[in-house]
Amino acid sequence: MNILFLGDVVARSGREAVVRDLPALQREYGADFTIVNGENAAHGKGITKKIYKQLMAAGADVITLGNHAFSKREILDDINDCPAMIRPANMEPLHAGSSCVIKECHGKRIAVINILGMAFMNATAHPIPVMEELMKGLEADIIIVDLHGEATSEKILFARYFSGKVTAVIGTHTHVQTADETIINGCAFITDTGMCGPYDSVLGRDTGEVLSRLLDDMPTYYKPASGRVVICGCLIEVDDETNRAVRITRIQKRPE
Ligand code: FE2
């Protein structure tokens, strides 16, 4: 089983690139199942039902979110119409949507879980006990966690703690892909899988705007960059006999 995971889709240019390129990526990597983090898909912060549908129509099987899950407030009303989209388990408002989805693929039950790290995230609880709670009674062959967090150490600790119990822990949020992909006791791990968004930018945001925010201390409206796009993610290869991860491959498609 090959599971393709694409990192944070940022704004219009990232969204359009993923919608355009996802089928070709799935062919290139022989993907059986695709997870896309869409938490920055709507103008850099949040997601809408319309964008959820675009990403699903492009070939995503599950959409994960993060600290900006509800930045577009309309999604609070719409999230129940998006059954393959999950929001972090340890984030307010706790009542909206689900944090775990189970889908069947080639006879396997694949559970995808979304959790926030603690550092700079306003999480309601630590990710480790939250994950333990989510795993109680969870009936799945393959478990993939999108751990959306800032701190590298937190994500590494989480993966080491749950290795042997889950199939993959994929870090998201920083938008900067790390080069530490590894298999820990049958668990595929990368601290951050990177973003799908504007390449000539500051984490997807317009460079000039970030500069004036920092140097002039001027209030700014979040302005995503446009233009050339980088697509980042990873491929997780899972052994069909054991359901353990055997390989993780970084994907980074930079513009020419
Ligand atoms: Fe984030």
Side-chain angles (χ1 to χ4, degrees):
M1 173 82 69
N2 288 338
I3 299 172
L4 177 66
F5 191 115
L6 293 186
D8 312 32
V9 177
V10 182
R12 177 187 294 271
S13 59
R15 207 165 69 224
E16 288 178 348
V18 167
V19 166
R20 183 189 65 226
D21 295 348
L22 183 53
L25 281 167
Q26 289 170 324
R27 277 195 301 278
E28 180 180 349
Y29 289 94
D32 301 295
F33 193 83
T34 300
I35 302 164
V36 177
N37 184 300
E39 81 127 7
N40 303 120
H43 202 73
K45 287 183 180 177
I47 192 166
T48 61
K49 183 161 82 171
K50 186 176 166 196
I51 294 172
Y52 163 81
K53 286 184 172 175
Q54 287 173 351
L55 294 171
M56 293 298 289
D61 293 290
V62 173
I63 308 291
T64 57
L65 296 172
N67 56 312
H68 292 303
F70 304 114
S71 293
K72 300 288 176 279
R73 305 304 287 178
E74 64 196 77
I75 203 65
L76 285 167
D77 293 325
D78 292 340
I79 197 161
N80 291 332
D81 300 332
C82 306
M85 186 157 75
I86 52 173
R87 46 65 51 87
N90 49 347
M91 167 182 167
E92 296 284 2
L94 292 166
H95 69 272
S98 171
S99 300
C100 175
V101 65
I102 300 175
K103 286 193 130 187
E104 197 142 321
C105 178
H106 299 327
K108 302 275 187 186
R109 294 161 300 176
I110 302 178
V112 186
I113 289 171
N114 196 191
I115 303 186
L116 282 189
M118 282 301 281
F120 312 121
M121 282 295 185
N122 293 321
T124 57
H126 195 279
I128 287 179
V130 168
M131 179 66 189
E132 284 184 317
E133 202 55 42
L134 285 168
M135 284 181 71
K136 281 183 190 161
L138 181 65
E139 293 191 7
D141 303 300
I142 292 167
I143 301 172
I144 310 289
V145 183
D146 176 343
L147 181 58
H148 193 82
E150 188 76 46
T152 49
S153 56
E154 267 191 352
K155 295 193 234 183
I156 295 167
L157 174 68
F158 185 97
R160 292 204 167 273
Y161 186 86
F162 286 105
S163 67
K165 302 188 185 101
V166 305
T167 316
V169 174
I170 305 300
T172 58
H173 175 70
T174 71
H175 295 192
V176 179
Q177 188 180 70
T178 56
D180 63 337
E181 77 278 15
T182 189
I183 302 291
I184 309 167
N185 189 20
C187 172
F189 172 68
I190 185 166
T191 297
D192 206 295
T193 204
M195 73 164 173
C196 300
Y199 185 68
D200 303 296
S201 71
V202 179
L203 310 181
R205 198 167 167 181
D206 181 79
T207 303
E209 190 199 48
V210 178
L211 202 60
S212 68
R213 176 82 183 90
L214 294 183
L215 293 186
D216 309 331
D217 203 22
M218 294 296 288
T220 51
Y221 179 71
Y222 187 100
K223 182 180 174 190
S226 54
R228 307 187 301 166
V229 166
V230 63
I231 287 187
C232 293
C234 58
L235 186 76
I236 306 150
E237 295 177 52
V238 182
D239 185 294
D240 288 332
E241 297 285 309
T242 64
N243 296 325
R244 288 160 67 89
V246 289
R247 188 175 296 112
I248 175 169
T249 306
R250 266 188 295 133
I251 297 169
Q252 189 180 120
K253 305 282 190 190
R254 295 190 193 190
E256 309 266 300

